[in-house]
């Protein structure tokens, strides 16, 4: 793990505060309940946006994530991702809780499947440790609740020939039936490659208010991503609890 990656990990950990669970990560789904997220991200290289290189385009990225509470201590799911003309993965995963750290939830997740690179599919594995805390407080005489989730993962792609560390953080507020802000920070470091950082501030928009807390949501975000190049994109997602 690079020096910059370690510094980023320390910074995110330093920002943690007593935070309420929403889904995924350190929290398991209740038995018989589930959650799904379908997303589409459209990016454009910043050089192209500024008119410096009109031909430089970043492939669109499609993702599907679904999980289901098989047992009170076992959540299973699927993680699909396709970056047009670039890469893809298809994973099945299982999540199990770890001992609580005070008010915080922790969990371990193992994912197995395939990844595609240069039109060749190969075995892929991922191990993730998750930490999550929720908070309930007051702001301007109104109740306010939210959560923070932190996921540290290690991926083995292409039969282990490509190994990647990932650290993702999600900060959000709970506002059932109302507009709610969300901030996602995704980082990854593959051996021999540059550190990748994507920052996506978003807004969760309920699509059917009469469903209350279980209403499907449209998530609209603006993403800034830096790898070898810098890109700006729009991320759209549909969240659904069932």
């Amino acid at each position: 793990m690079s020096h910059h990656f370690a510094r980023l990990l320390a910074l995110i950990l330093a920002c943690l505060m007593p935070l309420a669970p929403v889904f995924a990560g350190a929290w398991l789904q209740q038995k018989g309940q589930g959650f799904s997220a379908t997303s589409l991200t459209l990016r454009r290289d910043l050089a192209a946006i500024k008119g410096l290189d009109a031909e430089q385009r970043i492939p669109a990225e499609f993702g599907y994530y679904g999980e289901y509470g098989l047992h009170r201590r076992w959540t299973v799911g699927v993680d699909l991702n396709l970056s047009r003309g670039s890469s893809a993965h298809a994973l099945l995963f299982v999540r199990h809780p770890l001992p609580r750290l005070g008010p915080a939830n922790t969990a371990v997740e193992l994912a197995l499947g395939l990844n595609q690179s240069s039109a060749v599919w190969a075995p892929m594995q991922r191990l993730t440790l998750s930490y999550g805390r929720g908070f309930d407080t007051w702001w301007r005489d109104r109740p306010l609740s939210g959560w923070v989730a932190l996921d540290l993962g290690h991926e083995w792609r292409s039969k282990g020939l490509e190994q990647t560390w990932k650290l993702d953080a999600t900060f959000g507020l709970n506002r059932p039936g109302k507009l709610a802000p969300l901030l996602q920070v995704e980082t990854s470091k593959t051996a021999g490659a540059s550190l990748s950082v994507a920052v996506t501030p978003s807004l969760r928009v309920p699509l059917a208010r009469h469903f209350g807390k279980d209403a499907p949501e449209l998530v609209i975000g603006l993403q800034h991503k830096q790898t070898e190049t810098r890109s700006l994109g729009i991320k759209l997602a549909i969240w659904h609890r069932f």
Side-chain angles (χ1 to χ4, degrees):
M1 190 181 301
S2 70
H3 176 64
H4 294 293
F5 194 54
R7 288 179 60 186
L8 181 61
L9 171 60
L11 176 62
I12 294 178
L13 287 173
C15 292
L16 290 179
M17 58 183 180
L19 290 172
V22 177
F23 54 82
W27 295 280
L28 276 69
Q29 291 292 335
Q30 295 184 21
K31 182 179 178 180
Q33 297 186 12
F35 168 83
S36 68
T38 304
S39 64
L40 176 66
T41 306
L42 302 174
R43 300 191 188 93
R44 189 78 181 272
D45 188 277
L46 283 180
I49 294 176
K50 296 176 181 178
L52 301 178
D53 186 357
E55 300 301 321
Q56 183 66 20
R57 293 179 179 272
I58 307 297
E61 183 177 341
F62 172 79
Y64 176 81
Y65 175 92
E67 61 177 38
Y68 179 78
L70 192 64
H71 181 271
R72 65 182 183 86
R73 296 181 63 81
W74 294 99
T75 290
V76 297
V78 60
D79 179 5
L80 308 176
N81 184 272
L82 173 63
S83 183
R84 189 178 60 187
S86 178
S87 63
H89 70 244
L91 299 171
L92 298 176
F93 65 82
V94 59
R95 184 184 312 129
H96 190 268
L98 293 175
R100 291 178 60 88
L101 296 178
N105 286 45
T106 62
V108 61
E109 182 178 292
L110 175 64
L112 302 174
L114 299 171
N115 77 284
Q116 184 258 347
S117 180
S118 302
V120 177
W121 287 89
M124 174 180 172
Q125 304 85 37
R126 182 178 66 205
L127 182 65
T128 305
L129 296 177
S130 299
Y131 171 98
R133 294 183 67 174
F135 73 85
D136 289 286
T137 185
W138 290 83
W139 185 70
R140 293 186 176 181
D141 297 325
R142 294 183 179 180
L144 185 69
S145 68
W147 83 97
V148 62
L150 189 65
D151 302 296
L152 176 63
H154 188 66
E155 294 182 350
W156 294 264
R157 294 172 176 258
S158 302
K159 299 181 180 181
L161 297 178
E162 178 184 318
Q163 298 191 31
T164 301
W165 283 97
K166 289 191 172 184
L167 177 63
D168 299 335
T170 302
F171 305 84
L173 294 181
N174 296 321
R175 303 186 71 222
K178 300 179 180 179
L179 299 178
L182 179 75
L183 175 63
Q184 296 171 297
V185 181
E186 302 166 278
T187 69
S188 65
K189 180 66 174 71
T190 301
S194 301
L195 173 68
S196 172
V197 180
V199 180
T200 312
S202 305
L203 192 63
R204 295 162 53 198
V205 183
L207 297 180
R209 294 181 182 274
H210 63 276
F211 281 104
K213 66 181 181 63
D214 293 325
E217 293 179 306
L218 172 65
V219 184
I220 306 173
L222 184 64
Q223 184 182 89
H224 178 268
K225 187 172 184 178
Q226 181 167 351
T227 52
E228 289 83 2
T229 61
R230 295 171 61 195
S231 62
L232 192 65
I234 295 177
K235 185 173 183 178
L236 303 174
I238 296 293
W239 287 4
H240 175 59
R241 298 168 181 80
F242 57 89

